[in-house]
Amino acid sequence: MTDYPDTSALHTRLQRDGFAFVTADTMRRLLQAPMLADWPAFAASWNDLAPDSYLAASGRRRRRRHATFAADAGGEVRRQPHQPHYQSLQYNHLQGDIQRWFEPVLPTIADGASLRRILGFCRDCFGALAPAGRHWHIEVHQFRIEARADEAGEPTPEGVHRDGVDYVLVLLIDRTNIESGTTTIHAHDGSLLGSFTLTHALDAALVDDARVFHGVTAVTPLDPAQPAHRDVLVVTFKATG
């Protein structure tokens, strides 16, 4: 676990290792926490996610919303018309080559202070690692993974994988009555490079998707009689043009 006094230290870690675990305290500083003015409403919006019908047949309990944005290096982050999420079979052997339409992120959340600050941070952080003049295709996913006594929740049902993008941010929003959910980072040959568990709201993982693979172990309820879930925001950046 490493503290990053500024974004340049974070850049150095990502360039060296291809991934970084950032604690909530550090993320609050990097995100300039006072700018997350609508955080309570932002976090509460995970209570209003739609079921992921594409996983229903396999019995996995996942809820989500999705939105697409675009940005130029250092420029405004602009929301794009609602569109499907697509991954090839090369990156998602369970649901590849399918245009998956999810319920959109609500306008009040997409335009709110918290998400806009997070996207601005990602644009600046990832943009510093990429050649100048990049245009970014950005996807935002709100995920809730639910766990029950008779069925573990699987944050990454496709297993250890790449997303087929350039960079990924995974930001913990909430975890309630669950254990495990350990993020693992792997080299292309499958060897383990690191592991950590996002435990506190704003704990984060940043990943150079071209260099490393990632996965998350299943989550199980601490108290089987009570609701149990893991809420995360996933943001992906892919260079276009």
Side-chain angles (χ1 to χ4, degrees), residues 40-184:
F42 179 68
S45 70
W46 266 255
N47 295 320
D48 189 27
L49 304 186
D52 183 345
S53 60
Y54 294 92
L55 283 178
S58 54
R60 299 180 174 95
R61 296 171 63 82
R62 180 161 73 176
R63 297 178 178 273
R64 68 193 295 177
R65 286 184 183 271
H66 172 252
T68 305
F69 296 81
D72 302 323
E76 177 188 3
V77 177
R78 308 174 301 278
R79 187 166 188 178
Q80 301 299 290
H82 192 50
Q83 54 194 270
H85 175 53
Y86 178 85
Q87 292 173 297
S88 72
L89 279 171
Q90 176 185 358
Y91 298 109
N92 189 329
H93 65 90
L94 286 180
Q95 299 169 313
D97 291 350
I98 300 171
Q99 289 193 339
R100 288 181 285 166
W101 288 92
F102 300 109
E103 289 296 313
V105 173
L106 296 173
T108 54
I109 301 304
D111 297 331
S114 291
L115 185 58
R116 290 298 174 152
R117 175 61 195 130
I118 292 164
L119 293 179
F121 163 79
C122 290
R123 176 203 59 209
D124 296 342
C125 180
F126 298 146
L129 301 170
R134 283 286 179 98
H135 303 283
W136 296 111
H137 174 78
I138 305 166
E139 295 196 47
V140 168
H141 307 262
Q142 293 179 281
F143 285 108
R144 169 167 286 183
I145 307 301
E146 299 172 328
R148 301 185 303 187
D150 61 344
E151 186 180 350
E154 296 185 57
T156 54
E158 63 271 56
V160 174
H161 66 284
R162 291 169 53 209
D163 288 332
V165 297
D166 290 292
Y167 300 104
V168 182
L169 168 75
V170 181
L171 187 72
L172 185 70
I173 306 301
D174 180 51
R175 54 184 286 150
T176 296
N177 187 37
I178 61 166
E179 57 183 346
S180 194
T182 297
T183 298
T184 60

Side-chain angles (χ1 to χ4, degrees), residues 163-214:
D163 288 332
V165 297
D166 290 292
Y167 300 104
V168 182
L169 168 75
V170 181
L171 187 72
L172 185 70
I173 306 301
D174 180 51
R175 54 184 286 150
T176 296
N177 187 37
I178 61 166
E179 57 183 346
S180 194
T182 297
T183 298
T184 60
I185 305 294
H186 302 259
H188 284 240
D189 63 4
S191 60
L192 182 67
L193 299 176
S195 65
F196 43 84
T197 303
L198 306 182
T199 304
H200 303 98
L202 289 176
D203 278 353
L206 288 86
V207 176
D208 183 334
D209 192 61
R211 291 176 58 193
V212 298
F213 288 66
H214 63 280

Side-chain angles (χ1 to χ4, degrees), residues 1-11 13 20-34 36 117 121 125 169 171 200-206:
M1 186 182 304
T2 304
D3 182 48
Y4 303 97
D6 52 38
T7 52
S8 64
L10 182 56
H11 298 155
R13 176 64 188 270
F21 167 56
V22 187
T23 65
D25 287 344
T26 299
M27 283 302 294
R28 286 189 190 94
R29 185 172 69 251
L30 296 177
L31 289 172
Q32 303 171 29
L36 308 178
R117 175 61 195 130
F121 163 79
C125 180
L169 168 75
L171 187 72
H200 303 98
L202 289 176
D203 278 353
L206 288 86

